[in-house]
Every structure is written in structure tokens, then in C-alpha cells.
Amino acid sequence: MSEHGSPEDITRREALGRAVSIGTGAWALGALPFLARCAPALRRDRPNIVFIFSDDHAPHAISAYGSRINRTPNIDRIANEGAIFLNSFCTNSICAPSRAVVLTGKYSHVNGKVDNSATPFDAAQPTFNKYLRDAGYQTAMIGKWHLIADPEGFDFWQILPGQGDYYNPDFLTPEGPVRMEGYVTEIITRLTLDWLRSGRDPDRPFLLMCQHKAPHRNWMPGPAQLHLYEDVDIPEPETLFDDYRGRASPAAEQEMTVRSHLQPAYDLKITPEPGSADAVGFPGYDRMTPEQKAVWDAVYEPRNAEFRAAAPEGDDLVRWYYQRYIKDYLRCVAGVDESVGRVLDWLDQEGLAENTLVVYCSDQGFYLGEHGWFDKRWMYEESLRMPFLARWPARIRPGTRIPQMIQNIDYAPTFLDMADAPVPEDIQGASLLDLMEGETPAAWRESIYYHYYEYPEPHRVAPHYGVRTERYKLIYYYQTGEWELFDLVEDPSELHSIYDEPARAALVATLKAELRRLRSQYGDRTGTEFPEA
Ligand SMILES: [Ca+2]
């Protein structure tokens, strides 16, 4: 073999992006937490952790990630004053499963929460907050939980039931349900600041999970954001009118299009004239007080009157739906961004910022009209990506930009590592602490593994699993036995699968071997195994 390796090695390097062997990468994943445990205990004052989590907030709606449709100055502050992870991915792009992965540091097939509704989450299993509590941390969980079972391992919790409501939401507490008047993002912010001010022991480190409902469907903005984007057109994504050619059959067979699957009343708030004989509200609207409805109607009714007068059809209707959808989504995002700023400001004012890790992330990415879609689920980039930004002045240099591929299995071991708490052997992720501090571990993962399950409801997205390297993505739809392969450099929008091109045979073989290795490494025997050759 030459110093550059065999043709197979070269293909493998090309597939995996860098000249580090697969075996070394695999070793590092298991060994990093072990090394962290064995390192001399730097038991300086243990940091506080403020974990700000939103729902369905795609990185491409954050200006620090280069958004072309909005600005998020407060979330950007975390990147400017800390670190931004440029290649952050989920393992299963859907709400409750992502939350279970975050809590356990384990893939869906291991923690048991593979889909939103059919499988339960066993809240009795070990989660990172329980380990932190055992290590002396105070633990608080405020906002959207979405795991049905009551939270365990928190000293304080106030959670939304299920998806929760945007206006006047109910909260579940250990003492029973409470209805709170107001807008959900503002209420969660207030509860968060209340707990920081007076709910905790100032002499012990804390974990605070502040988890927003916004910007989840049905995208109801708060009173302070209702008027944003009034007289502007948000740029359309290039793939708003995707025809799904060049890919396997599932892309065309989903039910998540802006054109046909957004519900006019519920999703788009297009309702008949108030007071008319056929006037209807929509779920969420019916929870508002008369005063809140009056404010809402004063904003939406003129917009709806304009829609009724224009009566758009065909592609014009899609364009109109897109504008209504994306503006409401971005209004909800603006509310979350404002909340992030208030929490950062409070930590600054109280002198707590220096040794507090503030993380902003969301449970998965989302389609903002790309491929003609809303929602998530796919291994395609828009929903595979998660934002992950971290500020911790004591340890993270301002403006740190981190290209390595991370996943939500990594959060739990990171938080345990930071707290000098042992990282259990069965956690599948690796601590991000070295990366945050600007160090590149001797070997980091060269590929990520993904597996989506939920089918057929609610959006008929075919179950699939796959592998993504720095440059390539191989996806297997096991119900139909179809494959897709994308070159993310040549085809970043993933419009043309190159799986069937004869010249790609060696690359396909390499990626299949890597996919087989990942399924073995993570112990995933769910989903139909793909055939040899
Ligand atoms: Ca979600």
C-alpha cells in the first residue's frame, strides 16, 4: 500500500471527509467520557447551566447561522460572546424523541421514545438532570416537556401539558394544574426569572431548563410581535416549488406541503369575517380572553380581508400561504429571541454570567418552505440540523466557531463533564467541553447516524435511517428498500440523488459499510436491516 493508502482507503477518506480512520473515530466516541473521568479533577467552582430550548427553531432562522429571512440579535449574542456549533444534528427529527435523547444521551432505540405518540417515555430511567442532582445541583424544569410522564429528578417543575397553548396556557405542577393568563413565551420567561431570583439556594450550582413552546405549530405570535413583518415580503426558498424528481419515492408521497397540508384556519388563521354567520375560531383562539381576541382580530382581520379580496389560486395561493406561515413562524421566533435576551441580561446584572453556561438550542430543525414543506422528520439538512450555541465566559472564548459534527446525544455527557460528575458508560454521546474550549480532540466522529420512525401519521414521512459524513449523505427507506445518496458540496439542496450512478459504486459501498458500522456501534437493530451488496 502506498503512503496515501489503497483505493478503498482513499474512497473512504473522501466519504468521511478527513484522513482519520473510522476505527480511530469510533474509539474516541467511547473514550472521551472515560478520559474526562480520569483527568485530574479540576474542581473549581462548578458552573451553573441554563439550558434554553425551543421547539422547531431551525438554524436557518437564526442570523448567527446566516439566516436570509430574519435577525435574532439576542441568540446571536451567545455566538458572539461564546461558541457556535456549525454542524449540529439530531438523531431523530421529531419533538418528544429529541427531548428523550437530550435527557438520556442515548438514541431513540435505546431510551425507548422513538415517536411522539405511540411509545411512552420511561421517566424512571437515568437522565442527566438526575445525575446532576445526585452531584449536588439544584434542578428546575420550566415550560414544554412533552414526554407525558411527569418529570423526575427536578427540585422544581412547571410544565405545559402536551404541546401546551400559546395563550392563557395551563401548566402542570407537582401541586396540580394551574391556568396562567398571558402569552406562553412571556410566561415561561417570567417563571424562569422568578426561579432564578427566589426559587433556588444561591450557594449551590444549578441546572435550569427553560423550554419554550414557540415556534411550534400553529405559530401564534404574542401581542408584542403581532405587527412584525407587516409590509415586507419574506424571500421564498429556492425549492418552494420542488417537484420531487431525482429522489426516491417517499419525498413525493409525504403530506406536509405548504400547498395542500397547512390548514387554513388552524395553521394560517384565515377565518371568515368575525361576526359573520359562518365565523369560526380555531384551537388556540378559543382560549383567548375577549380583550386578547380584540387585539388579535384587529391585526388579522384586515390581512384576511385582503386575502379574501385577492382570492389567490394555484402557485399564487402557495406564495400567499408561505408568507402567512413564515411571518407567523418568525414572529414566534422573535418572541423567543427577546426572552433569551432577558435571561442573558439578568445573568449579567446579577454577576452570574461568568461561570454560567447558557446553551440555546431547539429540538430539531424545520422546513421553512424548502421542498415546498413545513414540519421536520427527514434526514435532509433543514430538519436534521439543530442550532447549538453556548456562552460560558469562564471557559469559552468569545467568537469560537466549531465545525465538528455534534448530535443531541452529546449534551448529557457535556453537562456531566462540566460538573465533574461521572459519565456513565452507557451514555452514547461524547462531551463537547474540549471543543467548546477550542481544542480538537485527537479524533472526533467523522460521521453521524440518524433514524426516523413515526409513520404514517401525521405526515406520511417514510421511516428511514442513514449516515452523514462531512460531504455525503446516504439514506435508506426500509419500507420500500429505496436509497438516496447526496453530495452536499455539489448539491446542497439535496435535489438529485446520485445513488444509481455507476461511478459512485465505490462510494456507496464505503458509506454502506460505515452505516453498518454505526448501526452496530449504537446497537440499533430496529428498522429492517439493509441487504448485503
Ligand atoms: Ca419540535
Side-chain angles (χ1 to χ4, degrees), residues 300-412:
Y300 279 85
E301 177 46 28
R303 294 172 181 166
N304 288 345
E306 209 174 306
F307 172 77
R308 290 191 290 269
E313 294 180 354
D315 288 354
D316 288 342
L317 183 68
V318 174
R319 293 198 158 94
W320 200 97
Y321 279 3
Y322 167 73
Q323 291 295 328
R324 172 63 63 92
Y325 155 56
I326 198 65
K327 287 183 182 182
D328 281 347
Y329 177 94
L330 295 178
R331 289 166 183 139
C332 291
V333 166
V336 172
D337 186 66
E338 193 267 345
S339 170
V340 169
R342 289 179 61 194
V343 173
L344 292 176
D345 286 347
W346 188 88
L347 292 167
D348 290 349
Q349 289 155 15
E350 297 299 313
L352 280 174
E354 178 70 13
N355 202 27
T356 297
L357 172 76
V358 178
V359 165
Y360 181 80
C361 63
S362 189
D363 55 355
Q364 8 63 211
F366 212 67
Y367 294 92
L368 308 178
E370 297 86 7
H371 303 297
W373 294 340
F374 65 99
D375 211 74
K376 51 252 180 182
R377 300 167 196 276
W378 301 88
M379 197 187 169
Y380 302 141
E381 290 293 279
E382 292 85 353
S383 50
L384 177 66
R385 288 184 174 273
M386 299 171 74
F388 193 91
L389 307 101
R391 184 185 84 163
W392 182 12
R395 303 283 288 274
I396 302 175
R397 278 196 298 277
T400 299
R401 296 171 67 82
I402 301 166
Q404 281 83 4
M405 293 191 285
I406 68 164
Q407 286 188 284
N408 44 348
I409 47 173
D410 300 326
Y411 306 174

Side-chain angles (χ1 to χ4, degrees), residues 54-56 94-96 99 144 216 362-366 376:
S54 62
D55 197 331
D56 295 355
I94 183 171
C95 304
R99 290 151 199 271
K144 184 166 174 183
H216 190 278
S362 189
D363 55 355
Q364 8 63 211
F366 212 67
K376 51 252 180 182

Side-chain angles (χ1 to χ4, degrees), residues 260-273:
S260 304
H261 303 105
L262 284 172
Q263 298 172 27
Y266 175 63
D267 290 316
L268 299 168
K269 304 95 185 176
I270 300 172
T271 51
E273 198 173 345

